[in-house]
């Protein structure tokens, strides 16, 4: 801290800040005001000669913090802690000295707010995490500690302009990730939204300013709509004999920005930037007001939420509904009692406003205390401060999951993520080559949803590549984008190659070899399509993707050639070994293995699917989409593996699973996963059923595995599913 710039403005600013504090804290008793005056004098003396980065006297900051606490109707101990919150950290005053003058409770609160400047840490991250842990643990002893801290952070964010740009961004990021979320968690809604907006302003100043100006213009253009809605609400509630206070409000800029990003909207397309709040005298009046307003404007289906019957985890209670207002604009409405409104705006701080013990406020305090207890449980299970910070973040961000790598690194993923999302979060190449995953040391399907705390190990192969089916369960933007790009760039060539091979086979029974797909025939075919935008590569791509049947294209080309052997197309069997491509897949319904009698099916949008010729799916498929197929040179290749399913029924005895696993492994196969249905499903008491997903090289190996399993005395039945 440096010396003050000048005496005159120092006195003027301090006097003004002090006046604001006592004016806001007018709810205090005479004795409490004397105690607050004593704390102000104590802090003034301790910070004498210190200034902020802006050059203002430092005492103006703790006075502003205390004034914010007074807005939340903080009690006298909290106000004293707010005025003196930096005294132990930034001055020579000791905790014992403070406790002697203001009591142990105030001294403990201030100590909980102080950073750990005297301890040595290896890096800044550890320092911040340890300071945060101390703050959170102090909060679990006295929730007022975090309320004071939020007031401190709120004023610091309001006056962040004097900091260096990189420091502003760091503080803003920390505020958005932690302190804004804590404000939300304990129900300080106004503080939550202001911290979000201030963080947004410092992280993305250009976007913030653009959006702020757009909001100003929108405010002018839509003022008549807000007024019209307010008048309509007022008339309808009066006619229903419901006494109510009605407020129109704007959504904060950060929430509008997030909605624009999430839904890829322009500002002009965001319709619901205004909301309305209806405050009534009782809970029955809330539901009566809801019915009255639903009779005024049509409610949107599925947009009603009853947080009165089922409060949010921070104690928040209200009825939420969305109505279709004037000009078709959506109107978000919140209906609540006065006590509920106090909790919604002040959260647990509402405890000091409504000390009479209203149900809403007691509920808010109860929920906050439950959360604080869970924080203590996190502390007990955390190995260090950084791990504790991550655990608390998980609790503050219920829409995210935190997953461990095998080396203990924590990755943050969206809720609902799978091992595929995890793999791409590690590295795009890892994602592309993923073939399997272990979750908590157990092989699990790639579509398994991950939970916070899961440890994931990704198994890769040089021959691995993305499967389009992954898009049905990958949720992270990074994973979905990478998968789509790979499919777009790589599988188009595969589809074109497959389409060309299929068309050549279809034409070989209609045209002489020297005429097959000549340039002249291609040009004639494209001209006959009468589509100048289509290239012949696109035709082949559509055949390979299953959008167009090769037989129909072949017949069309043969007719244009004017010389062909006949009207019947005779396709030679599809050689799986030669035709292998990204557009050729083994069916998941019957799991064909090299050596099985097979047929190929052209499936629109997927390409060619190989089925066992006994697969029931073939009976439901159009015969024109089916082709004969054989394994070709894959029968002699040793580097291929195929998945198949074995269902085994056996006597339920100790060590059985190990024996069966040994039999499969000894045959040279790998087990991908094992499922054990309930014993009741096995059909007979004393028996158990297993379902093995196994990887083998060919049909001979499959038969050897089945034979070896039958040799186990407890095994009664082995079926290839």
């Amino acid at each position: 801290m440096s010396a003050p710039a000048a005496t005159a403005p120092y006195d003027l600013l301090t006097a003004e800040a002090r006046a604001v504090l006592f004016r806001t804290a007018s709810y205090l008793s005479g004795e409490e005001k004397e105690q607050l005056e004593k704390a102000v004098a104590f802090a003034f003396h301790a910070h004498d000669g210190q200034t902020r980065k802006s050059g203002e006297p430092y005492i103006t900051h703790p006075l502003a913090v205390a004034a914010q606490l007074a807005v939340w109707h903080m009690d006298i101990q909290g106000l004293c802690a707010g005025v003196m919150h930096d005294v132990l950290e930034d001055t020579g005053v000791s905790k014992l000295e403070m406790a002697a003058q203001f009591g142990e409770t105030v001294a403990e609160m201030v100590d909980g707010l102080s950073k750990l400047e005297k301890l040595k840490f290896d890096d800044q991250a550890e320092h911040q995490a340890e300071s945060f842990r101390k703050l959170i643990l102090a909060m679990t002893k006295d929730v007022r500690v975090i309320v004071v801290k939020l007031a401190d952070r709120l004023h610091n964010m309001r006056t962040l302009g004097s900091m260096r740009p990189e420091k502003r961004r760091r503080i803003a990021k920390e505020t958005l990730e932690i302190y804004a979320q804590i404000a939300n968690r304990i129900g300080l809604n106004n503080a939550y939204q202001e911290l979000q907006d201030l963080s947004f302003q410092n992280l993305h100043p250009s976007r913030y300013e653009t959006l702020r100006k757009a909001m100003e213009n929108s405010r002018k253009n839509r003022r008549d709509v807000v007024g019209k809605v307010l008048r309509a609400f007022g008339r309808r509630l009066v006619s229903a004999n419901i006494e109510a206070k009605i407020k129109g409000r704007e959504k904060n800029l950060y929430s509008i920005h997030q909605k624009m990003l999430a839904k890829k909207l322009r500002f002009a397309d965001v319709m619901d930037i205004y909301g309305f709040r209806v405050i009534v005298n009782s809970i029955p009046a809330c539901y009566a007001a809801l019915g009255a307003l639903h009779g005024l404007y049509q409610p949107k289906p599925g947009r009603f939420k009853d947080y009165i019957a089922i409060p949010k985890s921070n104690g928040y209670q209200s009825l939420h509904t969305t109505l279709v207002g004037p000009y078709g604009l959506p109107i978000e409405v919140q209906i609540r009692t006065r006590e509920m409104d106090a909790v919604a705006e002040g959260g647990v701080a509402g405890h000091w406003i409504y000390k009479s013990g209203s149900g809403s406020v007691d509920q808010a305090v109860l929920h906050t205390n439950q959360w604080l207890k869970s924080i203590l449980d996190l502390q007990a299970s955390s190995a260090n401060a950084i791990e504790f910070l991550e655990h608390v973040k998980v609790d503050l961000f219920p829409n995210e999951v935190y997953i461990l790598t095998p080396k203990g690194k924590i990755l943050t993923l969206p809720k609902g993520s799978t091992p595929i999302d995890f793999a791409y979060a590690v590295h795009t190449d890892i994602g592309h080559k993923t073939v399997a995953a272990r979750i908590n040391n157990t092989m699990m399907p790639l579509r398994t949803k991950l939970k916070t705390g899961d440890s994931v190990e990704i198994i890769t192969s040089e021959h691995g590549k993305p499967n389009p089916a992954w898009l049905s369960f990958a949720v992270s933007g990074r994973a979905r984008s990478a998968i789509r790009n790979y499919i777009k760039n790589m599988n188009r060539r595969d589809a074109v190659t497959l389409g060309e091979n299929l068309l050549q086979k279809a034409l070989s029974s209609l045209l002489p070899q020297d005429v097959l797909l000549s340039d002249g025939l291609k040009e004639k075919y494209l001209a006959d399509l009468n589509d100048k935008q289509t290239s012949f590569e696109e035709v082949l791509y559509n055949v390979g993707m299953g959008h167009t049947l090769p037989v129909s294209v072949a017949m069309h080309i043969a007719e244009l050639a004017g010389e062909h052997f006949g009207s019947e197309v005779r396709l030679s069997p599809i050689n799986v070994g030669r035709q292998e491509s990204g557009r050729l897949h083994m069916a998941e319904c019957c799991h064909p293995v090299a050596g099985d009698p097979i047929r190929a099916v052209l499936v629109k949008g997927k390409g060619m699917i190989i089925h066992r010729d006994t697969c029931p799916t073939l009976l439901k498929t159009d015969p024109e989409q089916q082709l004969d197929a054989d394994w070709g040179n894959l029968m002699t290749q040793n580097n291929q593996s195929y998945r198949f399913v074995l269902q085994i029924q056996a006597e339920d005895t100790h060590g059985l699973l190990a024996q069966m696993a040994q039999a499969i492994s000894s045959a040279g196969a790998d087990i991908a996963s094992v499922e054990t249905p309930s014993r009741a499903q096995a059909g007979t008491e004393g028996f158990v059923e297993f379902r093995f997903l196994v990887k083998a090289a060919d049909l001979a190996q499959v038969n050897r595995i089945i034979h070896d399993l039958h040799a186990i005395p407890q095994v009664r039945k082995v079926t290839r599913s």
Side-chain angles (χ1 to χ4, degrees):
M1 299 288 180
S2 56
T7 304
Y10 181 99
D11 292 340
L12 183 63
L13 285 169
T14 302
E16 184 181 346
R18 180 191 171 283
V20 170
L21 168 59
F22 280 90
R23 187 164 60 247
T24 313
S26 59
Y27 59 87
L28 297 177
S29 68
E31 184 181 342
E32 289 173 335
K33 287 178 182 176
E34 289 179 9
Q35 194 173 351
L36 181 58
E37 186 68 74
K38 179 182 175 183
V40 170
F42 189 86
F44 184 92
H45 177 75
H47 291 298
D48 188 27
Q50 296 178 343
T51 61
R52 306 190 79 202
K53 291 284 186 183
S54 61
E56 296 175 343
Y58 194 82
I59 188 63
T60 58
H61 167 63
L63 288 173
V65 170
Q68 179 61 55
L69 293 169
V71 170
W72 296 333
H73 282 231
M74 178 68 82
D75 64 8
I76 184 58
Q77 289 180 322
L79 291 175
C80 289
V83 167
M84 299 184 294
H85 74 273
D86 279 333
V87 167
L88 297 184
E89 180 182 339
D90 294 339
T91 74
V93 177
S94 69
K95 181 180 175 183
L96 286 175
E97 186 180 350
M98 183 177 289
Q101 294 203 43
F102 298 96
E104 191 69 31
T105 299
V106 172
E108 284 288 345
M109 289 171 65
V110 174
D111 183 55
L113 289 157
S114 302
K115 297 185 182 70
L116 309 179
E117 298 293 346
K118 297 177 183 178
L119 299 181
K120 300 296 181 184
F121 298 97
D122 294 335
D123 56 34
Q124 183 67 16
E126 185 183 355
H127 181 283
Q128 288 179 326
E130 194 62 56
S131 296
F132 180 75
R133 174 157 71 171
K134 184 179 181 185
L135 170 69
I136 293 293
L137 292 180
M139 180 185 78
T140 63
K141 297 177 184 176
D142 191 333
V143 72
R144 291 173 296 181
V145 171
I146 198 63
V147 178
V148 174
K149 180 62 183 178
L150 290 171
D152 173 40
R153 180 54 64 108
L154 193 54
H155 186 254
N156 280 332
M157 289 298 295
R158 289 169 178 168
T159 57
L160 207 56
S162 56
M163 297 287 184
R164 299 187 309 275
E166 63 273 16
K167 189 170 184 180
R168 287 205 304 269
R169 285 191 292 271
R170 179 181 62 77
I171 294 173
K173 186 173 185 291
E174 180 186 63
T175 300
L176 191 61
E177 289 184 352
I178 298 175
Y179 292 102
Q181 301 303 323
I182 291 178
N184 180 46
R185 193 63 183 74
I186 66 174
L188 282 166
N189 189 55
N190 284 347
Y192 166 57
Q193 293 186 351
E194 187 176 352
L195 288 172
Q196 283 185 323
D197 280 355
L198 290 169
S199 299
F200 177 32
Q201 182 180 10
N202 285 279
L203 284 169
H204 306 289
S206 299
R207 292 185 212 172
Y208 176 87
E209 190 59 26
T210 301
L211 203 52
R212 186 190 64 79
K213 289 179 179 176
M215 279 291 286
E216 279 187 3
N217 294 332
S218 173
R219 195 177 296 131
K220 296 171 186 173
N221 297 335
R222 300 191 189 183
R223 188 176 294 142
D224 61 324
V225 177
V226 176
K228 184 175 182 178
V229 171
L230 286 173
R231 289 190 295 273
F233 276 14
R235 286 194 297 268
R236 177 52 62 99
L237 293 173
V238 167
S239 67
N241 294 318
I242 300 170
E243 184 182 338
K245 182 179 181 181
I246 309 168
K247 301 177 184 177
R249 61 180 181 85
E250 291 178 348
K251 288 190 173 180
N252 64 315
L253 293 181
Y254 179 76
S255 67
I256 293 173
H257 178 251
Q258 291 301 103
K259 184 167 187 175
M260 289 168 64
L261 288 180
K263 298 192 174 181
K264 296 180 174 58
L265 301 174
R266 299 173 303 158
F267 177 79
D269 298 326
V270 181
M271 306 299 288
D272 53 342
I273 63 174
Y274 290 98
F276 295 85
R277 187 172 301 155
V278 178
I279 302 169
V280 296
N281 295 328
S282 66
I283 291 177
C286 290
Y287 292 99
L290 177 73
L293 297 182
H294 277 188
L296 176 65
Y297 293 123
Q298 183 179 355
K300 278 196 167 186
R303 296 296 296 274
F304 168 68
K305 293 179 181 177
D306 188 344
Y307 293 120
I308 293 179
I310 307 174
K312 287 187 178 182
S313 58
N314 60 7
Y316 173 90
Q317 289 182 289
S318 190
L319 298 178
H320 286 199
T321 188
T322 301
L323 310 174
V324 181
Y327 313 112
L329 291 174
I331 304 171
E332 291 188 356
V333 185
Q334 300 169 351
I335 306 171
R336 60 179 73 138
T337 66
R338 300 181 195 282
E339 291 83 358
M340 291 173 189
D341 192 54
V343 173
E345 298 308 312
V348 72
H351 178 68
W352 295 285
I353 304 175
Y354 283 84
K355 292 184 179 178
S356 59
S358 79
S360 298
V361 178
D362 287 347
Q363 192 79 352
V365 175
L366 176 64
H367 282 292
T368 299
N369 288 338
Q370 288 173 343
W371 179 59
L372 296 180
K373 183 180 182 301
S374 73
I375 293 292
L376 285 174
D377 294 338
L378 290 179
Q379 155 65 12
S381 62
S382 301
N384 53 52
I386 292 178
E387 184 178 319
F388 174 66
L389 175 57
E390 292 299 335
H391 285 165
V392 174
K393 279 186 177 181
V394 171
D395 200 61
L396 293 174
F397 290 88
N399 292 324
E400 295 178 345
V401 291
Y402 290 73
I403 310 302
L404 295 169
T405 69
K407 294 183 178 179
K409 182 181 177 183
I410 297 175
L411 294 183
T412 305
L413 297 171
K415 189 175 182 179
S417 290
T418 64
I420 290 298
D421 299 287
F422 178 87
Y424 280 101
V426 175
H427 197 279
T428 301
D429 287 343
I430 299 294
H432 285 343
K433 296 176 181 178
T434 296
V435 293
R438 289 190 183 93
I439 303 175
N440 302 324
N441 297 319
T442 302
M443 294 293 294
M444 297 293 287
L446 291 177
R447 61 171 59 247
T448 304
K449 290 187 178 181
L450 301 175
K451 305 183 299 295
T452 290
D454 281 345
S455 177
V456 178
E457 179 186 357
I458 298 298
I459 300 167
T460 62
S461 167
E462 285 302 313
H463 303 291
K465 52 189 172 184
N467 187 329
W470 291 356
L471 290 171
S472 66
F473 52 80
V475 299
S476 67
R478 177 170 179 170
R480 295 180 68 82
S481 175
I483 295 166
R484 284 196 180 101
N485 283 338
Y486 185 95
I487 293 170
K488 180 180 177 182
N489 295 331
M490 301 297 291
N491 283 5
R492 182 176 179 85
R493 290 203 298 270
D494 292 330
V496 169
T497 301
L498 177 60
E500 185 173 25
N501 289 331
L502 290 172
L503 192 53
Q504 292 273 15
K505 282 182 174 292
L507 283 169
S508 64
S509 61
L510 296 173
L511 297 174
Q513 196 67 28
D514 58 340
V515 181
L516 290 181
L517 286 184
S518 65
D519 290 341
L521 264 184
K522 291 178 183 178
E523 291 173 7
K524 190 179 288 188
Y525 176 79
L526 291 175
D528 201 52
L529 286 181
N530 198 23
D531 185 356
K532 295 181 180 179
Q533 302 298 319
T534 301
S535 64
F536 202 78
E537 181 181 289
E538 192 69 18
V539 173
L540 296 176
Y541 173 77
N542 286 328
V543 172
M545 288 292 292
H547 296 308
T548 308
L549 291 176
V551 172
S552 64
V553 178
M555 291 297 293
H556 190 164
I557 291 175
E559 287 174 8
L560 292 172
E563 52 179 279
H564 52 86
F565 303 133
S567 59
E568 184 178 340
V569 178
R570 296 182 302 277
L571 282 172
S572 58
I574 298 299
N575 187 310
V576 173
R578 191 166 60 249
Q579 301 287 347
E580 186 183 19
S581 75
R583 308 314 310 168
L584 189 150
H585 309 287
M586 300 298 143
E588 292 290 330
C589 51
C590 56
H591 294 286
V593 172
D596 280 324
I598 54 174
R599 284 185 68 75
V601 177
L602 279 171
V603 179
K604 187 177 292 187
K606 294 183 179 180
M608 187 176 291
I609 311 296
I610 304 301
H611 292 262
R612 292 163 65 187
D613 68 357
T614 56
C615 180
T617 301
L618 296 175
L619 299 175
K620 307 172 188 176
T621 306
D622 187 342
E624 289 189 1
Q625 294 177 276
Q626 298 183 29
L627 305 169
D628 291 331
D630 61 46
W631 292 99
N633 59 3
L634 285 190
M635 291 295 293
T636 60
Q637 294 180 6
N638 297 321
N639 60 347
Q640 299 292 323
S641 64
Y642 301 88
R643 294 186 173 206
F644 67 100
V645 175
L646 287 178
Q647 288 182 285
I648 304 170
Q649 193 176 97
E651 294 178 23
D652 192 4
T653 58
H654 179 72
L656 173 63
L657 181 59
Q659 284 182 274
M660 293 189 295
Q662 178 63 34
I664 294 171
S665 178
S666 297
D670 294 320
I671 300 172
S673 67
V674 184
E675 295 176 10
T676 309
S678 68
R679 281 153 177 74
Q681 288 178 305
T684 308
E685 189 173 347
F687 280 71
V688 64
E689 187 178 273
F690 294 89
R691 188 176 189 273
F692 283 80
L693 181 60
V694 184
K695 291 193 291 185
D698 53 33
L699 185 60
Q701 192 176 36
V702 173
N703 292 333
R704 188 160 61 251
I705 292 169
I706 293 174
H707 176 271
D708 292 347
L709 286 170
H710 272 301
I712 299 172
Q714 297 94 326
V715 173
R716 291 290 178 266
K717 186 178 181 182
V718 181
T719 307
R720 183 178 168 196
S721 174

